[in-house]
Amino acid sequence: MSQTLQAVRGMNDVLPEEAAFWELFEDTVRSWLKSYGYRPIRMPIVEPTPLFKRAIGEVTDIVEKEMYSFVDGLNGEALTLRPEGTAGCVRAVIEHNLAARQTQRLYYIGQMFRHERPQKGRYRQFHQVGVESFGIAGPDIDAEMILMGARLWNDLGLDGISLQINSLGQPAERAQHRAALIAYLEQHVDMLDEEAKRRLYTNPLRILDTKNPALQDICAAAPKLIDYLGTDSLAHFAGVQQILRDAGVHFTINPRLVRGLDYYNLTVFEWVTDKLGAQGTVCAGGRYDGLVEQLGGKPTPACGFAMGVERLIALIKDSGGEPAAPVPDVYVVHQGEAAARLAFRVAEGLRDQGIDVLLHCGGGSFKSQMKKADGSGAAFAVIIGDDEASTGEAQLKALRAEGVEQRKLKVDALAEAIIDYMIDSDEEE
Ligand code: ATP
Ligand code: MG
């Protein structure tokens, strides 16, 4: 007997019941993005491995231990399943010269892959909505991106998602802070864990992003990057805060918010819920002015964020949000060869008129088909037997309304009768 196959650990099927929540979420997200002028872009799921090493940084969790990298056995190319979308989006923007003459507001929705320990809210294949802007340097776009989050939580009916912001300054300011941070951490080197020791000289800022509870006190007392920011960086940060205050969006400044990717500068932010345990960050992002140039493009200011779709859907479900189950308007029941042929024609004709139709497939008695029609939730059954087929007619039966007689109609008159009825019942509501 052959062994049954299962999905890869940490990579989940989304079954129809659950997928209805995904569609509700995506519909809401697309119209929200449209209302802010964002346009879709679609990049490949596989990119050259060096792209991620250069963009995200060699000494980061993602590049050191989470990437699905492989060598294409056919041509020896080093490839990686994308762990995040910004690198690929920037590559595409440079490759197609999108930001040369105009600003761009772009978004994508799709799978990302990271080899992490699967747990609630953390998977090996997960989905992000990624939102990126190119060519806008001021604090206005940072603030707008943050405000967008507040609106989306509202649109999705979610509350209790709080905002943390910080500024990472510019590279020169970070270099000064880095020296101070290394000096401080050297004094406490005995208390650092292996990972922190390894990163002490390669990427000390990352140590502050640790999830190890034993290091929390040391990190809390470490020199703060914000104390090393110059006038321009502070003004940018103040500009962001001003817009948030004007909009009445509450935030906390978290000086230890450093983000797990190297490409950020100035504003960084995270939206966090306390309802998902340790996996509480549902949306995170910031400014990355150096990345386009770092990947070979012309210097282009840029800013973006990504949302974890699985985490947001878990929140939507917890909050009792229900997608409306899709219900056909009409279920077509038929028996006999001529009736089957007419049924196809009728179903397609009704769809031409914008009516949602479930055509019975798979045969069975009228009685069992009528049961299925009832169970489908359809407002009407259209019933075609050989008698009807021979005269080009069908029975129209209301399944959900009292006092509406079953009637026999010419098939060409069905759509109008159904639409009239639907308009009437809309008016009654
Ligand atoms: P975390 O600190 O939870 O590992 P991160 O900083 O690695 O998150 P980002 O790279 O900023 O995450 O990705 C943006 C968002 O994508 C996260 O805030 C989260 O909602 C989601 N996300 C990241 N990794 C995963 C994962 N393995 N499974 C599910 N969602 C994820
Ligand atoms: Mg992570």
Side-chain angles (χ1 to χ4, degrees):
M1 217 178 76
S2 64
Q3 242 183 329
T4 45
L5 294 170
Q6 291 184 334
V8 175
R9 187 165 128 80
M11 306 203 184
N12 302 314
D13 298 309
V14 179
L15 303 180
E17 201 108 316
E18 164 100 11
F21 283 93
W22 286 65
E23 299 219 328
L24 174 76
F25 173 78
E26 287 174 6
D27 288 349
T28 309
V29 160
R30 284 183 209 283
S31 63
W32 160 75
L33 284 162
K34 187 164 163 283
S35 78
Y36 283 90
Y38 282 81
R39 296 192 302 158
I41 181 168
R42 296 175 183 237
M43 297 85 62
I45 285 173
V46 177
E47 295 275 2
T49 302
L51 172 67
F52 299 115
K53 292 193 173 169
R54 273 168 69 183
I56 299 170
E58 296 265 6
V59 193
T60 55
D61 279 348
I62 294 178
V63 171
E64 281 184 340
K65 53 191 185 199
E66 296 175 358
M67 293 210 300
Y68 283 90
S69 297
F70 58 98
V71 174
D72 183 333
L74 297 176
N75 62 7
E77 233 181 316
L79 302 176
T80 294
L81 299 184
R82 63 181 184 195
E84 54 96 59
T86 302
C89 185
V90 169
R91 183 212 33 79
V93 163
I94 297 170
E95 190 168 331
H96 305 286
N97 211 11
L98 293 187
R101 275 178 301 279
Q102 53 184 332
T103 58
Q104 291 283 354
R105 284 177 162 88
L106 304 173
Y107 80 89
Y108 44 86
I109 305 180
Q111 286 91 333
M112 306 294 158
F113 301 85
R114 296 184 193 176
H115 195 100
E116 303 195 69
R117 192 170 67 78
Q119 53 198 291
K120 186 174 185 254
R122 192 175 293 288
Y123 310 100
R124 290 180 174 172
Q125 176 186 264
F126 63 99
H127 296 71
Q128 288 184 339
V129 177
V131 179
E132 322 279 1
S133 80
F134 296 91
I136 308 170
D140 45 2
I141 189 78
D142 313 23
E144 189 187 70
M145 284 192 165
I146 297 172
L147 294 183
M148 286 174 74
R151 179 176 300 279
L152 181 63
W153 316 144
N154 187 58
D155 289 354
L156 292 170
L158 300 177
D159 49 29
I161 304 181
S162 56
L163 172 63
Q164 300 190 354
I165 62 173
N166 191 23
S167 175
L168 300 183
Q170 300 292 10
E173 294 155 356
R174 276 219 293 284
Q176 283 191 335
H177 167 256
R178 180 191 152 104
L181 183 60
I182 292 176
Y184 166 83
L185 291 170
E186 277 174 336
Q187 289 167 13
H188 300 89
V189 78
D190 300 343
M191 294 161 80
L192 300 183
D193 61 15
E194 283 313 306
E195 186 174 272
K197 279 184 190 148
R198 205 163 41 79
R199 290 183 171 176
L200 181 52
Y201 300 105
T202 51
N203 201 344
L205 195 60
R206 274 300 76 78
I207 298 175
L208 303 184
D209 196 33
T210 181
K211 296 204 166 66
N212 181 354
L215 293 184
Q216 299 305 315
D217 289 346
I218 293 184
C219 292
K224 294 183 175 51
L225 180 47
I226 200 152
D227 295 329
Y228 291 78
L229 301 192
T231 331
D232 289 353
S233 295
L234 287 172
H236 188 103
F237 196 34
V240 173
Q241 292 175 50
Q242 185 61 52
I243 299 171
L244 295 182
R245 281 198 202 93
D246 288 348
V249 171
H250 295 283
F251 59 87
T252 318
I253 297 177
N254 174 0
R256 292 184 43 212
L257 185 67
V258 298
R259 311 281 307 110
L261 306 88
D262 273 355
Y263 48 61
Y264 290 107
N265 68 317
L266 294 174
T267 320
V268 289
F269 63 92
E270 290 194 3
W271 287 97
V272 186
T273 171
D274 54 13
K275 291 182 189 151
L276 295 175
Q279 274 58 250
T281 306
V282 293
C283 175
R287 183 162 278 282
Y288 53 91
D289 293 326
L291 187 58
V292 177
E293 192 178 10
Q294 192 182 318
L295 293 179
K298 296 208 182 67
T300 307
C303 189
F305 63 90
M307 300 189 281
V309 177
E310 282 79 358
R311 293 182 192 180
L312 283 166
I313 289 193
L315 283 184
I316 293 170
K317 284 171 123 178
D318 283 357
S319 75
E322 276 290 335
V327 171
D329 301 314
V330 173
Y331 194 103
V332 179
V333 163
H334 56 92
Q335 201 167 47
E337 206 172 307
R341 291 174 62 188
L342 182 59
F344 261 94
R345 225 184 79 206
V346 165
E348 289 298 331
L350 293 177
R351 291 184 190 115
D352 285 343
Q353 304 300 317
I355 297 168
D356 292 342
V357 181
L358 209 61
L359 172 64
H360 183 82
C361 288
S365 66
F366 267 129
K367 196 170 160 212
S368 76
Q369 290 190 38
M370 285 306 294
K371 253 198 188 147
K372 292 209 164 102
D374 240 348
S376 75
F380 296 95
V382 165
I383 306 158
I384 307 172
D386 280 334
D387 282 355
E388 285 85 9
S390 65
T391 54
E393 289 173 307
Q395 303 277 350
L396 180 63
K397 182 177 163 69
L399 297 173
R400 301 241 148 356
E402 298 286 321
V404 181
E405 292 286 308
Q406 180 168 330
R407 331 184 243 163
K408 202 183 219 182
L409 292 170
K410 283 284 181 202
V411 294
D412 293 338
L414 280 170
E416 202 182 321
I418 290 167
I419 288 167
D420 280 352
Y421 180 87
M422 294 199 304
I423 291 170
D424 283 354
S425 61
D426 268 358
E427 277 168 1
E428 273 163 33
E429 268 169 21

